[in-house]
Structures are given as structure tokens and as C-alpha cells.
Amino acid sequence: MKIADRIIVPLDVPTEEEAIALLDQLPQVTFWKVGLELFVASGPSILQELKSRQKRVFLDLKFHDIPNTVAGACRSAARYGVDLITVHATAGKDALKAAQAAVEVGAAEADQAVPQLLAITVLTSLSARSLAFELKIPLELPEYALHMALMAQECGIPGAVCSPQEVSHLRQACGDRFLLVCPGVRPAWAIAADQRRTLTPREAFEAGANYLVIGRPITTAADPGAAFQQICEESFPIA
């Protein structure tokens, strides 16, 4: 798979019109992420737009609720024919197992391929300090992220979302077939902003990431296409 196909660009804009403008600016991007802001604003029509352009879709709504509600949301989301869907690992084992069963049912009902579920381990905006002092979680952050990923894998979830700083540890523990997607990745020339646990794209791929989510360094650049191309060129793993 080409490096360009392993970089997911988020449509983190408030309207469908702005999202379509980004799609028009970046026709070379094959994989797009739709998150809460845009999906709440536009609903499934933006997913239909992406599908009509033969794009891959990461539906990043981070479902987190009781098992029955998570399952219902995953079943509905799977009907859209998206490629990736997120659910918080902290919803617990019952919710994770129900979510995996539900995407299989929803995809079958709509005659779609089964999307891959990704468990959110620890949000990349959280630091070790906030985990310990705000959330009162006694584990060290890497240990906690690994626990969340292993629990998800035990429940049949095929992948996880983690910080690039945890990806090497998760890859070693979860094996080569477990899908690892890393947001919070920043090229050396970009500002980290609200991301706390970052690596460069090349470092993240070398550590074992399957896909990277890279937004603002591309979408807010003066020339988004040139920024995307530069990141692709800089991302080839040495190892």
C-alpha cells in the first residue's frame, strides 16, 4: 500500500460546504475522517459524498454508552459502508463485544463490507498528569493504553487508536494483524497545538502504525496539496 493511502485526513470543519471544498482541494487524498462536528452538522450526506468519490471513510464518532446503545449505534453506522468506526474501550467488555457483533449485522443488512472497529485507548490530548490527577487512573499512561488495547482485542475488536508514542508497545503486544491508527502525528515543521504525545509521520510508521491521522498541518496550510505531498515524501519508513 502506498504511503499516501495510509494517511487519513480529517474533515474537521463545521459545514458540509467547507468539507466539499477540502475534498476539491485535495483530490489526491484517498482516506478521509469524519468526526463529531461535521457528522452532527451534515449527517450521512457527507458520507454519501465521499463514497460517490470512491474515497475510504473513517467514521470517528467514538461511541461510548451502555452496551445496548453502543450496539445500536454501531449497527446503524455499519449500514453506511464506511471502512473504520471508533468506540471507546472504556465502555467496557460487554459494550465492545456487542459493538463487534452489531457491525457485522448492520453491514449484512445493508449488503456492505463489515467495517473495522477501532477501540479508543487514551485520547491523544491527555497527558500522564491528567490521567493520574484528573481521571484518578493509577496506571502509567503506556500501561493503561496497552490494557485498553488488549481488552479490546480479547473482545474481538480488530484494532485500536493510540498515540504514536504507545504504538510500538502495542504492536509488540498485540501482534502484526492488529490494526493501529495514530492521530496526534505532526511533521517536524508543524505546531503540536493541543496534541500532547506526538511523533513525526516517519517515526510513527517505523514504530508500527498502520495508518496516521494528520489534519491541521495539511488542511490549514497555505497550499494543502503541497503539504500533503511533503508529508508523504517525509513519511517513508527507513526500517
Side-chain angles (χ1 to χ4, degrees):
M1 185 183 295
K2 296 186 298 183
I3 287 288
D5 296 333
R6 297 172 64 189
I7 295 174
I8 303 171
V9 179
L11 287 168
D12 288 341
V13 291
T15 68
E16 188 169 345
E17 290 75 20
E18 289 172 88
I20 290 172
L22 263 179
L23 296 178
D24 291 339
Q25 276 187 293
L26 291 162
Q28 64 271 56
V29 174
T30 61
F31 212 152
W32 292 89
K33 181 174 83 74
V34 174
L36 282 167
E37 181 180 20
L38 181 58
F39 192 79
V40 170
S42 74
S45 64
I46 187 59
L47 306 181
Q48 294 162 1
E49 177 67 28
L50 287 162
K51 296 273 288 180
S52 74
R53 297 180 184 224
Q54 287 79 53
K55 304 297 184 182
R56 299 187 72 198
V57 182
F58 176 12
L59 185 59
D60 185 26
L61 302 183
K62 298 182 176 72
F63 298 128
H64 191 183
D65 213 307
I66 63 172
N68 188 61
T69 302
V70 168
C74 287
R75 185 168 56 250
S76 294
R79 297 186 183 118
Y80 294 134
V82 299
D83 298 276
L84 303 174
I85 297 171
T86 45
V87 58
H88 272 285
T90 49
K93 285 186 175 181
D94 288 346
L96 293 174
K97 291 174 183 176
Q100 184 58 40
V103 293
E104 294 169 13
V105 171
E109 289 173 344
D111 195 25
Q112 299 283 356
V114 178
Q116 290 183 287
L117 277 182
L118 301 174
I120 303 293
T121 55
V122 182
L123 295 172
T124 54
S125 59
L126 292 174
S127 65
R129 179 178 177 81
S130 57
L131 194 73
F133 290 97
E134 295 172 18
L135 302 183
K136 301 300 182 184
I137 292 171
L139 299 178
E140 293 294 326
L141 195 152
E143 184 184 357
Y144 182 69
L146 177 60
H147 172 68
M148 292 288 103
L150 288 171
M151 182 179 71
Q153 188 176 43
E154 182 184 337
C155 294
I157 304 297
V161 176
C162 67
S163 151
Q165 290 191 1
E166 284 93 59
V167 71
S168 177
H169 197 33
L170 268 62
R171 173 62 66 214
Q172 184 177 9
C174 298
D176 292 339
R177 298 183 64 183
F178 196 65
L179 189 69
L180 292 173
V181 177
C182 293
V185 176
R186 291 289 181 266
W189 42 266
I191 298 171
D194 59 353
Q195 303 295 347
R196 295 289 178 265
R197 307 190 320 278
T198 68
L199 291 180
T200 67
R202 176 177 288 175
E203 290 169 336
F205 278 133
E206 289 176 346
N210 297 102
Y211 294 95
L212 309 180
V213 179
I214 305 177
R216 282 166 285 189
I218 297 169
T219 58
T220 64
D223 186 339
F228 179 76
Q229 182 61 32
Q230 182 178 350
I231 288 171
C232 290
E233 292 171 356
E234 293 175 355
S235 295
F236 283 98
I238 295 171

